[in-house]
Amino acid sequence: MSVFVIALDAEARPLIDALKLKRLIDRPWPYYSNGDDHLLLTGIGQLNAAAACGWLIGHSPELARTPWLNVGIAGHAELAVGTLCWVERIKYKHGDLYPALHIRSSLPGSLLNTVDAPSNKYVDGQLTDMEGAAFYLICSRFVPIELLHLLKVVSDNRADDIKNINKAMVTELIKDNCTEILRFALNLSQLSLALPEAIPADLDQCVETYTQKWRFSHSQKQQLMKLLQRYHALTHSMFFEPELSVPARDAKQVLALLDKKIEHLPVTMP
Amino acid sequence: MIDTIYIEEAVREHPRTQAVVARFPKARQIICEHYGAIFNRSQQSFRLQKQNPALILAHKSGNRVLPAPADYGIGGQDNYYFSHLLNCLYDCRYCFLQGMFRSANYIMFVNYEDFYKDIAATQSALDAPGWYFSGYDCDSLAMEPVTNFVADTLDWFATQPNANLELRTKSTQIRSLLNREALPNVVVACSLSPDPIARALEHNAPTVEKRVAALAKVANAGWQVGLRFDPLIWSDDYTSVYSDFFEQVFSQIPNAKIHSVSTGSFRLPPDFHQKMSKLYPRDTLLSGSLHRGERWVGYPQDREQALLEFARERVVAAIGSERFFPCQHETMVG
């Protein structure tokens, strides 16, 4: 399960086909999904990448627990056309950024420089693209950085000029690396299983049994949720309101009763 | 064991950097300007990183030798700690490092000689031999095959009879100790918990049985050893759990070689506890009944006192009170 963030349709096509993704939304940005995997077409440039990612996370906040991958073509001074690279460092005016790789991967790493217009001024040992830095900066606000990566396929270099790039070639370059890209995404998905456990599914329903009966202020509701989560952690079950042994006058008393209930739970090592 | 090594530009050519890199020829090497760009950034998940931490090789500048918390001592008056390594190979659920650091990556500061220089300078200002604790932000021995820290540091402490060193560990990496003659100014201290607690909370650490056996070997080789029963963990059957445990430990470690025993109950600064609870929302230790004070989150006073008193009685019965150093609330445990 991953979110692929891609600038151009020609770059996205092999992944759309391989993952059997369906186009679900046309505007403001084309969005594809098969229920598990997701693909966002951002258009070219940093502004588009940033805006599109911001829109998607607003639309589907649950994706903050999912790996996000920026996949696309990039120029490189020396590497052969068709080489798939993992971006290990991103040039940034306020200090370089370092994507955090905590899975095994044998892909070669490279420095990335994100520019605002296509360029054939190659710098030794450096990838050049037009979205990467913005993708990383924006997505790192809502996705753990360990799940945020950039994979770039070299499309041009000092020997193969940028002018030779065309749509069909771009699609072929991504297609040739599709298996590796999907393997990387799968490994990240496995890593994401180690994220802190999500809030128990029936917590909201449980909280409602209390809020329907007593008036809770915002902070009291937060305390109630914390207490119920603690109870769940210790007993693996939810504590619904009817189980309160003593009738409570108000929210404050409910919280005190719950606190006492937790205090008296038996403590044994798992 | 290590797939990614970040190397600060400034230590690229350092002999220790070269040695570590040579040990992991397949690891990816990434050059960085300063370790802070990797270790201190926001939006990191300690829990994800712990699955496969990277190693950062860096230079430690600034304060390298710091005063230890008020009750961290084991008999000396002047206590300091220093950290050649940040973070730990093990994954103990009670460990404050999870609440203190944003990153689970290991940082190895390769400029050991600067630490020695600072210890010597600190010591020169003291009237009595000072104590220098190395296992506060890391495990002193667990990564020895990578760091070579113990071997190197013992060479230096062998020349400093007025400075005492404590190595604190849960590791069984004792080869560097057994390979040399014991030093009178060094204590090898082992953190121990009863087996059911260790199994539940001290993930990836050697079993208690193995730790005790390793410490016994170290003691039998002539080293002074320390026993650290910290944190003491509450369970409703703590008396039977800890009774068996103390018997196991004191029957295997030669009494004459025990330099010191310390105890402390489970406690964390509130902000660390909050951060750790978010990391492990379903953990029973962190979710359990804890008293939230202004400076510490820990067991309610009655439980804490019961645990500490029970441990005190057993320890004093085994070794007397002169070598017993209870820690109260000023220190944290890793």
Side-chain angles (χ1 to χ4, degrees), chain A residues 86 89 96 98-100 102 104-105 107 109 140 143 145-146 191 194 196-198 230 233-234 263 266-267 269, chain B residues 3 6 28 31-33 41 43 45 47-49 51-52 105 233 235-236 278-279 281-282 284 287-289:
Chain A
W86 166 71
R89 180 172 175 170
D96 289 357
Y98 297 85
H102 294 273
R104 278 219 167 126
S105 168
L107 294 177
S140 62
V143 179
I145 57 168
E146 297 76 14
L191 178 71
E197 294 84 356
R230 282 178 60 199
L234 296 168
E263 198 179 308
V267 184
M269 281 299 120
Chain B
D3 288 327
Y6 291 95
R28 188 187 292 278
I31 304 299
C32 62
E33 295 146 40
R41 58 196 163 174
Q43 202 64 12
S45 167
R47 198 163 156 176
L48 290 184
Q49 293 191 1
Q51 304 300 307
N52 184 10
N105 290 332
I233 300 291
S235 64
D236 291 341
K278 280 185 187 162
L279 270 180
R282 304 218 178 145
T284 50
S287 300
S289 179

Side-chain angles (χ1 to χ4, degrees), chain B residues 178-195:
Chain B
L178 301 182
N179 280 347
R180 63 183 304 147
E181 222 168 276
L183 298 176
N185 57 336
V186 174
V187 170
V188 182
C190 189
S191 300
L192 296 163
S193 300
D195 187 57

Side-chain angles (χ1 to χ4, degrees), chain A residues 28-152:
Chain A
W29 283 275
Y31 166 69
Y32 299 76
S33 179
N34 60 12
D36 286 332
D37 291 294
H38 312 263
L39 189 146
L40 179 64
L41 269 187
T42 65
I44 295 173
Q46 300 203 63
L47 203 59
N48 274 328
C53 291
W55 166 77
L56 181 57
I57 199 67
H59 179 269
S60 308
E62 71 280 3
L63 294 177
R65 294 175 60 87
T66 303
W68 286 55
L69 276 166
N70 174 220
V71 176
I73 57 165
H76 193 283
E78 311 93 17
L79 288 177
V81 170
T83 307
L84 176 64
C85 294
W86 166 71
V87 173
E88 66 183 28
R89 180 172 175 170
I90 303 164
K91 281 186 100 165
Y92 183 53
K93 58 186 173 185
H94 299 304
D96 289 357
L97 309 162
Y98 297 85
L101 190 67
H102 294 273
I103 56 167
R104 278 219 167 126
S105 168
S106 56
L107 294 177
S110 180
L111 170 67
L112 174 74
N113 186 25
T114 299
V115 297
D116 290 329
S119 166
N120 59 1
K121 288 175 188 160
Y122 300 102
V123 178
D124 286 349
Q126 188 174 295
L127 287 161
T128 306
D129 83 340
M130 294 179 64
E131 292 84 25
F135 160 82
Y136 191 81
L137 280 166
I138 295 299
C139 293
S140 62
R141 302 288 173 100
F142 46 79
V143 179
I145 57 168
E146 297 76 14
L147 301 181
L148 203 56
H149 289 278
L150 302 86
L151 298 179
K152 300 287 169 180

Side-chain angles (χ1 to χ4, degrees), chain A residues 82 161 193 263:
Chain A
D161 199 274
L193 299 177
E263 198 179 308

